[in-house]
Every structure is written in structure tokens, then in C-alpha cells.
Amino acid sequence: MQNYKMLNRKLKKYSPVFLGPMLIAFTTVFIVPFIMGVYLSFCKFTTVDNAVFNGFENFINALSDTNFLNALWFTVKFTAVSVITVNVIAFFLALLLTRKMRGSNLFRTIFFMPNLIGGIVLGYIWNLIINGVLGLMGVDITYSATYGFWGLVILMNWQMIGYMMVIYIAGIQSIPGSLIEASHIDGASAFQTLKSIIIPMIMPSVTICTFLTLSNSFKLFDQNLALTNGAPNRETAMMALDIYNTFYGSIGQQGVGQAKAVIFAIIVALIAWIQLRITRAREEQL
Amino acid sequence: MNKQKTVLQAIFYIILTALAIVFIAPIIIVAFNSFKNKLYIMSSPFELPNSNTFEGSNYLRGIVSSGFFGKDITSMLTGFSDAWENSVNALSPIGAFGRSLFITVFSVLLILLCASMCAWYINRSDSKFCRLFYNILVFSMVVPFQMVMYTMTSTVTNLSLNNPVGIIFVYLGFGAGLSVFMYSGFIKSVPFEIEEAAMIDGCNPIQTFFKIVFPILKPITVTVAILETMWIWNDYLLPYLVLGSRFKTIPVAVQLTMQGAYGSVDWGAFMAMLVLAIIPIIIFYLFGQKYIIDGVIAGAVKG
């Protein structure tokens, strides 16, 4: 303990070297802009220098903007559908690929690959495919918001299934083999083993995957921009894109954009907080 | 019983193979469309190129119009001469590919160095300030980019960091949360005694860190490197806002080609660009597949 204190003092002299670069960079690009952002959400401004305080007006404008409310609803719908489809498909693929069959590594490699491609490129790849299919009916993805919605869901599935699958595979592989063996000896059917052993044992993975897809779907931007860019008529713009459009696509609305961003950040933080609570509660149970 | 099992196995293989085809097909379709004449891409995207529709010059046009490579490589590949230098599309010495590579490599190296040092210091120090700093770093991981994008862009522009070197500093700040968090999780399990012995033997903290600690951190360094590389290489909005169209990275070049086209898109050149954007990722994946998948799992579980 004596040593520890002495070394701590020795360490302190070096704090500029160890902490300095990170502290400066993080303060410059995150802490300062964050505080400015919170303040500016209560101001009318067109550049950071001409801000005039105007109370809650931006928030009132934001919450009465039909584009924003529409984007919020669209995002919620999209997130709900994506979370379910991605996780169900990923989980079943993980079950199949942990059955000790030949070639499962090759399948894993293929399913995971789309996750590495960036959102913009992904969006344009699917733009070609979806417009190709819809072209057979003489329309394209900008024809109706329904097409845009399902286009985004398909894209999200294509990108996220492999990612969630590898997490589920890791979860399933960490179940002790003896447990599954014992259930076989006791005469449990494959379905009973799944229901009573595998699913309860991988609940931590389920939490992780649910919240990863949840926050990734909720914050989706690049794919949205590249696939539909909100068309038709901003109906398929999700929250991140709507905020972007408010900042850069309209005149004098920066304050409203910043207020929308604050609302968006609060919702995202709330989701993260719920996840933390659930994870903590589970850890306490164990 | 055994026969039933074989049948079941066969059904599983059929399902998996069908899905694997669905997963690869979009990339394959883009790839063969990149060899078709631009008139035949949107009208019949699912037809293979034939002698009527084949077009070999898509890649040359894609490379030139997007500025994918710099001036020298482009003129070497295409034979375009000096006439280009005075045109609107005059190419800079470094293309989008080189710029993406430069920004990604140096940002990741800087993040690894600063984050590991920072995380070690935070964990070995007992000051309240370090705790607070760590908590704010973790908090920053939750905050969506839209919250700070406008104010960050103006701050960075005011500080003249809106160039390919300055953006490395911006990435250091935005990469701080995840990287310090991941390193901290790992450092908690590293015993203090080895460092203590080194320091008592006369090593100063810097020597101790680089000779003793940093080598121990290797597994987590690989994980952090992969996560940050995937993020920075594919990032669109941050480089677009900070660097704009003057210094295009690959995702920005792809997006701006489409955004600036207003309906008159050269689909042939565009398909070629998509393929060029995907190839580096596939090469990266083939070489580091095991590390990438393991790293992504570790990142998800800890994040």
C-alpha cells in the first residue's frame, strides 16, 4: 500500500503525457460542442456566433413539425420490425451453424461479410437491386413509402444478421456441452432442449443483440440517405436524416435542428439506460 | 433414426446454401453490372453482360470522375493527359482511396497509442478527476452524432482542422469513448505487481508503460484496431461535414457522385466505383477474418 501511494505520486507527474492528448482532442470535438449544442437548442441562430436566446420555442417548433413526428413514427416502426426479423433469423442461423456440420465456417464467413461494407455503399447496392425488381412492375423505390420502408428493412437484415449471428454462435458455444448431453440422456426432444436449456442460457446474448440492433436501427443514417433519401416527399426519412435535413436542407432552422437533435439524444440515452438496468438486474440475480 | 437425420441434414444444407446465395447475390450483381454499358444497367440489372451490352471502359470513367486515385496513378491507368489538369475535374495528387487509407491508418494508430496510455493512467491513478473523465468518455458513446455534428463542424473549421491531417485529431476525440472503455476493461485484469516491480527497479512511468504494459495489451489492441478501422474507413457524415468535397474519402466520393448527378447518372461508372469501394474491404476481410469476427464479438459484448 505504501508502494502504491508512492508510485501514484510518481505517476501524477506524467499525467500530461498520458492524459493530455486524449483530453485535448475529446474536449475539443465532444465536450465543448456538446455543451454548445445544448445551449444552442434554446437559441435562434444561423451560425454559432449569432445565437439569440429564445427559450423553448425550438422545442415547440420541433414537436409540432409533422416531418419530425412522421420521422419519429417511421423510425419506431422500422426499428420494431428490424429488431424482430434480424434477431429471429440470426438466432436460427446460429442454431444451424453450431450443429457441427461441414462447411459451417464457410457459411459464417459469407453471412458476416455484408456487415463490413459501409452504409453508403450498401445503400446503393440495394438501390440497384430493389429498383431492378420494382422496375419489373414499372415503378421504383421512390413510388411509395411502403417500398422504402421494406427496402430499408431488407437492407438492415442483410447487414445485421451476420453480425448478430456471430454473437449468438459465441453464446451457444459457451453453453457447457455436458448440459446439452444430459438433456439428451434424460430423453428431452430437440425442441425441449432448445426451450429449456439453450434459450435460457443465451439470454445475455439476446439482451446484447436486441439492444445493438435497436440502437443501430434507431440511429440509422447512411443507409437511409443512400437508399431513399426520404423519398417520396420525406416520408421515408428517419430521425437522423430529418435532423440533417433541418440543419442543412432548410434556411434558418438550425435552432430547430439542434432541438430535434437534443430530443433524439434523450431517446437514445433512454434506450441505453434501460439496457443497463436490465443487464445489471440479471447480474444481481446470478 | 439415422436416415431421418440425414434427410434433416440435407434440408439444413439447402436452407443455408439458399441463404448464402441471397447474401452474396447483391455483390455479384453489382460486379457484373460494372461490365455493362450504362444504358443496360437500370433497365435490366439482372441480365449478365453479353456481346451487345459489354462495356470495358466503366472503370476508367469511374476512376477519373470520382477522383478515386490521385493524378499520377489515374493518368498512368487511363492515359489522360495534362488537358485534365485545367478542367473542373482536375485531380489532386492524392485520390479518394489514398486519402481514406491515410486517414484510417493514422487515426487508428493515434487512437491506439493515446487510448491505451490514457486508459492505463485512469486505472492506475486514484484521482477523482480521472473517474469523472472516464464517466464522460463512457457517456459520449451513447450520444448520437447528430447531437454534436453542427457545433463540432464549426469548432473544427474555426480551428482549421478541416483538412486530411486535422481530421485525424477529430477522430482521436470521437474514437476516445469506445477505445478507452475497451482498454480499461482489459487493464482491470492486469496485475499491478509487475509494473510495481519495474518502477521500483527504476523505470519511469513511460518506460514502464511501453516495455511492460503495452505488450500485455496486445489482444485488446487488435480488437480496438479492428473496430476503429471498420468505423473510420466506412464513415460518411463526419468526413463529409469536416472535409466537404475538397478532400473526398471513398464513401464521400460515392455519395457525391450520386448527389451531384441530378438524374443524369453514369450508371456504368457508378457500378465500377461501388466495386472499387468494396474490393479493399473484401481483401481486409480475407486476411483478417478470424480477428475481425472475434474483435466484433468482443466489442459487442463489452460495449
Side-chain angles (χ1 to χ4, degrees), chain A residues 55-83:
Chain A
F56 282 95
E57 208 181 304
N58 292 332
F59 287 90
I60 295 165
N61 285 339
L63 291 170
S64 53
D65 177 0
T66 46
N67 280 333
F68 186 60
L69 297 178
N70 178 48
L72 174 62
W73 177 229
F74 188 87
T75 308
V76 170
K77 274 193 299 184
F78 167 79
T79 306
V81 174
S82 300
V83 167

Side-chain angles (χ1 to χ4, degrees), chain A:
Chain A
M1 206 56 218
Q2 201 62 40
N3 273 337
Y4 187 84
K5 279 215 173 111
M6 185 199 80
L7 293 172
N8 222 307
R9 228 173 301 133
K10 204 171 170 185
L11 205 57
K12 221 162 216 157
K13 272 192 282 181
Y14 286 85
S15 65
V17 183
F18 283 93
L19 286 183
M22 211 45 140
L23 196 60
I24 295 169
F26 184 68
T27 309
T28 314
V29 305
F30 183 80
I31 297 180
V32 171
F34 182 84
I35 295 168
M36 278 164 75
V38 173
Y39 171 68
L40 287 177
S41 67
F42 297 101
C43 295
K44 188 167 177 57
F45 64 98
T46 47
T47 64
V48 206
D49 310 315
N50 63 7
V52 181
F53 191 78
N54 72 346
F56 282 95
E57 208 181 304
N58 292 332
F59 287 90
I60 295 165
N61 285 339
L63 291 170
S64 53
D65 177 0
T66 46
N67 280 333
F68 186 60
L69 297 178
N70 178 48
L72 174 62
W73 177 229
F74 188 87
T75 308
V76 170
K77 274 193 299 184
F78 167 79
T79 306
V81 174
S82 300
V83 167
I84 294 167
T85 51
V86 168
N87 282 287
V88 169
I89 299 172
F91 177 67
F92 279 101
L93 282 180
L95 275 183
L96 288 183
L97 293 183
T98 45
R99 286 176 59 93
K100 293 193 191 78
M101 38 197 272
R102 257 185 296 167
S104 59
N105 262 337
L106 178 68
F107 285 120
R108 193 180 72 152
T109 305
I110 292 171
F111 293 142
F112 185 77
M113 188 176 55
N115 189 249
L116 295 172
I117 302 173
I120 292 287
V121 177
L122 274 175
Y124 286 117
I125 292 174
W126 279 96
N127 199 312
L128 175 79
I129 310 286
I130 292 170
N131 279 334
V133 173
L134 291 175
L136 302 174
M137 299 189 282
V139 291
D140 70 4
I141 197 163
T142 61
Y143 179 75
S144 130
T146 315
Y147 295 155
F149 179 82
W150 290 106
L152 283 166
V153 170
I154 292 169
L155 189 159
M156 198 61 186
N157 273 275
W158 192 63
Q159 182 176 24
M160 296 288 287
I161 283 173
Y163 183 8
M164 296 306 121
M165 182 196 72
V166 296
I167 300 174
Y168 282 126
I169 288 178
I172 294 171
Q173 281 171 343
S174 70
I175 300 174
S178 57
L179 215 57
I180 292 172
E181 223 167 88
S183 80
H184 284 315
I185 293 168
D186 288 347
S189 69
F191 179 72
Q192 281 171 322
T193 312
L194 176 68
K195 196 184 118 218
S196 314
I197 296 183
I198 297 180
I199 291 182
M201 288 295 282
I202 60 148
M203 277 321 276
S205 308
V206 175
T207 315
I208 291 165
C209 290
T210 306
F211 280 95
L212 266 177
T213 26
L214 195 64
S215 74
N216 278 342
S217 313
F218 210 84
K219 292 193 279 190
L220 200 73
F221 177 80
D222 294 3
Q223 291 84 338
N224 194 192
L225 179 71
L227 189 64
T228 69
N229 195 11
N233 193 23
R234 295 196 168 185
E235 282 175 48
T236 60
M238 294 175 57
M239 287 184 89
L241 184 58
D242 183 66
I243 294 168
Y244 176 84
N245 285 335
T246 314
F247 267 119
Y248 300 102
S250 44
I251 298 156
Q253 294 292 300
Q254 282 86 345
V256 181
Q258 191 61 54
K260 287 180 178 179
V262 170
I263 298 169
F264 184 50
I266 292 172
I267 299 175
V268 172
L270 216 60
I271 295 173
W273 181 74
I274 295 169
Q275 176 185 21
L276 192 70
R277 288 294 296 270
I278 293 176
T279 317
R280 286 248 172 95
R282 180 166 301 120
E283 275 165 5
E284 275 161 21
Q285 269 176 14
L286 292 175

Side-chain angles (χ1 to χ4, degrees), chain B residues 21-54:
Chain B
I21 292 170
V22 171
F23 266 74
I24 295 191
I27 297 172
I28 306 284
I29 292 170
V30 168
F32 70 64
N33 273 294
S34 70
F35 292 102
K36 273 157 64 173
N37 185 290
K38 58 186 172 187
L39 300 174
Y40 299 95
I41 292 173
M42 283 318 272
S43 58
S44 49
F46 304 121
E47 268 169 36
L48 286 166
N50 57 39
S51 54
N52 264 335
T53 59
F54 179 80

Side-chain angles (χ1 to χ4, degrees), chain A residues 33 46 48 102 109 116 124, chain B residues 13 150-151 154 234 255 285 289:
Chain A
T46 47
V48 206
R102 257 185 296 167
T109 305
L116 295 172
Y124 286 117
Chain B
Y13 269 114
Y150 187 83
T151 44
S154 71
N234 288 325
Q255 173 61 18
Y285 186 43
Q289 200 210 119

